[in-house]
Amino acid sequence: MIELALLDQMVPTLQAPEVPDQRSLYEQGVEARLAGRFPEALELFEIQLASQPEDVDSRLNAALCLIALDRLDDAERELERVIDEAPDYADAYTALARVRTFKGETEGAHDVMETAVSLSLDHSDHATLRQQLSRQTPASLKASLIITHSTLTQDLPDWVSVSPGLTWKMSGTISVDTSILYAERFNNSNTNVSVGGAKRTGFGYIRMEVGGGANTTFLPRNTLLLGAGTRTPAKGLELSTDVRTSEYASGRVTSVVPHALYTFMSGSVEAGAYYINVWDENDQHRSGYRLRSTLRPARQWALHGDYADAPESSDGITVDVRSIAAGLEVRMSEAGALRLTVAKELRTAYDRTDVSLALVRSF
């Protein structure tokens, strides 16, 4: 019995085998992050990324941990990398907007916030972020100057127009603007002044503009514009309508223009379609369309294209016009941009070629 007891003591106690955690590193990291264990979660995501650097979900969650740990610069770099690899990842834009808000970079936050909203309508962070940005955005002023020279066929005199303008961004959602248009056509000159305002809302935007001029012969004597737009459940699609009524020397012209704007590829491509309805100075209904596009391969420059086959009343008499235009926009700095546009119009009485230069400067 003694021998058996000693033998019993010599036999090691067998431990039950430890069952490994079958969950993925990503799942463990998400659980740790949601529980507030940010250093632990960050370490798990970093291990995952070391073997799978293309895992944008893990990289986004790592960035969220970095935000919680107040490592905002590191979080910004990770989120920018997520966006480079997954340009339509709405949550990454929302998180980046939050980082830039925390850093006080409200202009940059607005840019990515608009992209996030266009990519995803159902994100609970959007309304809160908009309120934060609206409170933090200082008033800003933008000045513009547009100079246009037009050459006409049939030996007709050239047209010239100059239009300076100011836009005051009162907050992240409200802006007011004013502009003056001086135009020379057929050896006659007119001046027009307009004032307007716009407000971006949770569903889209609304805007209004009034204007006119005294003793005008081809520009409107008075004009009123009302417009509204809304985002749709379709990602990146916004629907809008503008209603304008203007009194010319020849009579009143009213237009109703519903249009759609589709933004995709992280905001680098825009495509718009307009259905133009005009009740002319003789109260006759006319209709047409306009197509436009913007390609922005880089933040510093963009290409614009435009084609229209529609009635217009630019010289006081409504005529059917076919036109095509192309433009190059160059951002010279964060505060300034230049845009050159060349357009060709085909009319019944004459053709017209426009060269337009626009300068924009923010203060």
Side-chain angles (χ1 to χ4, degrees):
M1 296 291 296
I2 295 175
E3 290 81 357
L4 289 174
L6 291 174
L7 183 60
D8 214 23
Q9 293 176 6
M10 294 173 62
V11 176
T13 303
L14 297 177
Q15 301 291 330
E18 184 176 342
V19 178
D21 193 338
Q22 297 298 319
R23 297 171 304 159
S24 67
L25 289 170
Y26 174 78
E27 293 172 323
Q28 296 176 56
V30 170
E31 181 182 287
R33 182 179 68 79
L34 295 178
R37 303 193 304 273
F38 301 113
E40 175 189 342
L42 180 60
E43 182 178 359
L44 289 166
F45 291 128
E46 287 177 341
I47 295 172
Q48 172 77 356
L49 289 168
S51 59
Q52 298 184 40
E54 73 285 352
D55 184 351
V56 291
D57 292 323
S58 291
R59 195 170 298 282
L60 172 63
N61 275 272
L64 296 177
C65 293
L66 291 167
I67 295 172
L69 296 170
D70 202 29
R71 293 169 55 183
L72 299 181
D73 290 339
D74 292 336
E76 186 172 26
R77 281 191 292 271
E78 291 298 317
L79 290 168
E80 288 174 345
R81 182 168 176 181
V82 171
I83 290 170
D84 286 342
E85 296 178 1
D88 293 333
Y89 203 156
D91 288 346
Y93 290 94
T94 303
L96 183 57
R98 187 174 295 281
V99 168
R100 291 180 176 173
T101 301
F102 291 155
K103 294 175 69 175
E105 300 173 0
T106 53
E107 192 65 34
H110 274 297
D111 291 342
V112 292
M113 188 71 247
E114 292 306 316
T115 303
V117 171
S118 70
L119 291 173
S120 173
L121 296 176
D122 300 322
H123 202 299
S124 59
D125 286 344
H126 292 164
T128 301
L129 268 176
R130 281 189 180 280
Q131 292 175 359
Q132 292 176 351
L133 290 172
S134 180
R135 290 194 298 267
Q136 293 180 15
T137 301
S140 62
L141 190 66
K142 180 181 292 185
S144 63
L145 177 63
I146 304 173
I147 302 172
T148 304
H149 182 273
S150 303
T151 303
L152 280 61
T153 59
Q154 309 297 333
D155 295 323
L156 294 171
D158 293 354
W159 292 4
V160 177
S161 68
V162 179
S163 180
L166 289 174
T167 299
W168 182 32
K169 192 173 184 180
M170 303 173 63
S171 70
T173 59
I174 299 175
S175 64
V176 295
D177 61 84
T178 183
S179 64
I180 300 173
L181 172 60
Y182 171 80
E184 293 181 358
R185 298 176 188 172
F186 303 119
N187 298 318
N188 195 4
S189 65
N190 283 188
T191 301
N192 206 305
V193 178
S194 64
V195 178
K199 177 175 175 56
R200 184 161 286 279
T201 67
F203 65 85
Y205 73 88
I206 54 175
R207 68 180 182 129
M208 178 179 178
E209 180 183 301
V210 295
N215 302 317
T216 56
T217 55
F218 54 85
L219 291 180
R221 295 174 176 177
N222 59 72
T223 185
L224 170 66
L225 166 70
L226 298 174
T230 183
R231 291 182 297 275
T232 70
K235 185 169 63 177
L237 179 63
E238 187 173 271
L239 301 178
S240 307
T241 299
D242 288 338
V243 179
R244 181 190 296 271
T245 180
S246 303
E247 183 183 357
Y248 292 88
S250 58
R252 180 162 295 279
V253 177
T254 300
S255 64
V256 178
V257 183
H259 53 278
L261 179 64
Y262 181 46
T263 304
F264 54 105
M265 292 184 66
S266 307
S268 61
V269 181
E270 289 183 0
Y274 301 72
Y275 178 45
I276 300 171
N277 295 272
V278 173
W279 286 263
D280 66 17
E281 59 276 8
N282 298 313
D283 202 26
Q284 297 295 311
H285 176 251
R286 306 186 186 196
S287 64
Y289 66 93
R290 175 191 172 204
L291 304 174
R292 77 171 185 86
S293 61
T294 297
L295 173 63
R296 195 176 299 276
R299 180 177 172 80
Q300 292 75 21
W301 64 281
L303 297 172
H304 303 277
D306 195 296
Y307 178 80
D309 187 349
E312 76 160 35
S313 308
S314 63
D315 56 356
I317 300 175
T318 304
V319 295
D320 293 324
V321 177
R322 283 189 296 124
S323 65
I324 186 169
L328 171 64
E329 178 184 331
V330 178
R331 184 177 291 274
M332 298 173 292
S333 67
E334 286 298 314
L338 180 150
R339 180 169 173 173
L340 178 66
T341 304
V342 178
K344 179 71 174 181
E345 289 188 354
L346 303 179
R347 299 168 176 246
T348 303
Y350 56 86
D351 294 343
R352 169 180 154 198
T353 301
D354 292 345
V355 178
S356 177
L357 181 64
L359 300 172
V360 179
R361 179 73 166 83
S362 298
F363 299 92

